Amino acid sequence: SQCHHIAEQLAAELSDCANLPGVRDVRVKGALGVVELAEQPPYAELKRRFVDAGVWIRPFGNVVYLMPALTIEPDELSVLTGAIATVLGEDAWRSG
């Protein structure tokens, strides 16, 4: 099913985020991918970095999550997961 394919792609593409500083956990449940941060991030700065990266991803509390439409194409999902990995790997958002 499409949900299964999305779950597999989320798990594969978000897994490296678990090794980033400030990341507590990475989880995938169905078509929902979550990167849990160890602390509440500076929301405005993190949101701005995602917009600068060309995506609209809004952190919620101490999590950054994706719940894409089941019609998303694999390359479109890769843009989103790539932005999460890139932005969370930067020091800029942590310094606010």
Side-chain angles (χ1 to χ4, degrees):
S1 73
Q2 185 66 5
C3 183
H4 178 75
H5 293 295
I6 290 171
E8 285 183 338
Q9 186 176 349
L10 285 169
E13 294 180 5
L14 292 176
S15 65
D16 287 344
C17 290
N19 300 318
L20 296 174
V23 172
R24 177 178 289 155
D25 192 23
V26 176
R27 301 183 293 280
V28 174
K29 179 84 171 174
L32 174 67
V34 175
V35 178
E36 180 183 354
L37 305 175
E39 298 178 3
Q40 178 88 16
Y43 177 80
E45 180 61 22
L46 190 52
K47 187 173 111 179
R48 186 186 66 76
R49 292 296 309 126
F50 284 127
V51 170
D52 289 349
V55 296
W56 183 251
I57 297 173
R58 294 176 51 186
F60 182 75
N62 70 326
V63 297
V64 177
Y65 70 98
L66 294 175
M67 192 167 58
L70 295 178
T71 57
I72 195 166
E73 294 293 329
D75 59 328
E76 296 169 328
L77 185 54
S78 290
V79 169
L80 297 172
T81 57
I84 289 175
T86 297
V87 170
L88 293 184
E90 298 171 346
D91 289 329
W93 68 269
R94 282 188 279 283
S95 59

